[in-house]
Amino acid sequence: MYNKVFKRLLDIVISFFAIVFLAIPMALLALAIKLDSPGPVLFKQERICKGCKRYKILKFRTMRTDTPKDMPTHLLQNPDAYITKVGKILRKTSLDELPQIFNILKGEMSLIGPRPALWNQFDLIEERNKYGANDIRPGLTGWAQINGRDELEIDVKAAFDGEYVEKMSFAFDCKCFFGTILSVLKSDGVVEGGTGELAKQKDNAENESAKVD
């Protein structure tokens, strides 16, 4: 009952009022993006939504226009080189995700759910199929986002998404929502380089330490 009716109703109400109250702040962010680098304010990218259907996710643009298309950040050789000055701030604070409230209002996304995979992230899509995580609307934030976010390996991320599917309820959504606020304030799990990056950094540090010893 919650997933079929109440959850969608909450998404509509919250996204509508969010658009109204955040209109001016989003306009100011749009201006900052335009002044910082040439190109459009919004970044549109094909993602996977409920039932593995494709849709265009909306984000504030945080990278230069010459960034390779449809490529996960962690696959770029030097992702930091493509990120704009304003983009670094937007990504660290997750403000680049704000335009997705329009995706939520349209019914393509939910406030809480698995983060939408790129259409070509076949490994993540396949792993999520094991847990039924592709059978619900993707979210602006979710259980995986407050349990590691960028540095989670694909199988671990999919497992957290599966756990969300099992525990999905109003109380669990509230836990994810307030947990996200805390994570954003602490910048937990925000790593340019993406999936498994913290593990790589740890291994490199240990190797360097071993060389010194």
Side-chain angles (χ1 to χ4, degrees), residues 203-213:
D203 289 341
N204 291 336
E206 289 176 351
N207 291 335
E208 290 298 322
S209 178
K211 290 179 181 178
V212 173
D213 293 341

Side-chain angles (χ1 to χ4, degrees), residues 8-198:
R8 178 59 191 146
L9 182 60
L10 274 177
D11 285 338
I12 293 172
V13 173
I14 293 174
S15 59
F16 174 78
F17 283 104
I19 290 171
V20 173
F21 288 113
L22 295 175
I24 294 178
M26 287 196 293
L28 293 175
L29 289 176
L31 179 61
I33 293 168
K34 290 297 290 184
L35 293 175
D36 182 43
S37 68
V41 168
L42 293 178
F43 172 69
K44 299 179 182 180
Q45 189 179 57
E46 274 202 350
R47 297 286 181 113
I48 297 297
C49 64
K50 184 178 179 181
C52 288
K53 296 178 181 179
R54 297 187 186 186
Y55 77 106
K56 294 284 188 179
I57 196 173
L58 300 177
K59 288 189 174 187
F60 280 127
R61 182 175 59 83
T62 61
M63 290 186 164
R64 303 196 319 249
T65 55
D66 61 340
T67 304
K69 304 294 183 183
D70 292 329
M71 182 177 289
T73 305
H74 69 278
L75 292 182
L76 295 172
Q77 287 190 342
N78 185 14
D80 202 51
Y82 291 99
I83 302 173
T84 63
K85 293 178 181 178
V86 171
K88 289 180 180 179
I89 298 173
L90 294 178
R91 292 165 76 92
K92 187 174 183 179
T93 58
S94 296
L95 290 173
D96 59 316
E97 312 284 0
L98 280 180
Q100 287 161 49
I101 54 181
F102 291 98
N103 291 122
I104 295 173
L105 188 62
K106 288 174 63 179
E108 296 165 332
M109 293 178 63
S110 180
L111 183 62
I112 310 294
R115 281 298 295 163
L118 278 165
W119 67 271
N120 56 0
Q121 283 184 292
F122 304 115
D123 49 354
L124 177 57
I125 296 169
E126 184 177 352
E127 280 295 316
R128 283 178 170 171
N129 275 332
K130 298 176 182 178
Y131 301 99
N134 292 320
D135 298 329
I136 62 174
R137 287 186 180 89
L140 180 63
T141 186
W143 186 230
Q145 275 54 57
I146 61 176
N147 282 285
R149 194 173 172 173
D150 291 339
E151 77 265 22
L152 291 178
E153 298 287 353
I154 294 298
D155 57 338
V156 177
K157 184 181 295 184
F160 274 122
D161 293 333
E163 185 179 353
Y164 172 76
V165 173
E166 291 180 1
K167 297 181 178 179
M168 187 165 46
S169 65
F170 177 69
F172 198 60
D173 276 3
C174 286
K175 183 175 183 178
C176 292
F177 179 79
F178 291 109
T180 297
I181 294 175
L182 182 61
S183 294
V184 169
L185 291 176
K186 295 167 61 179
S187 294
D188 281 349
V190 181
V191 184
E192 296 305 342
T195 305
E197 184 63 19
L198 287 186

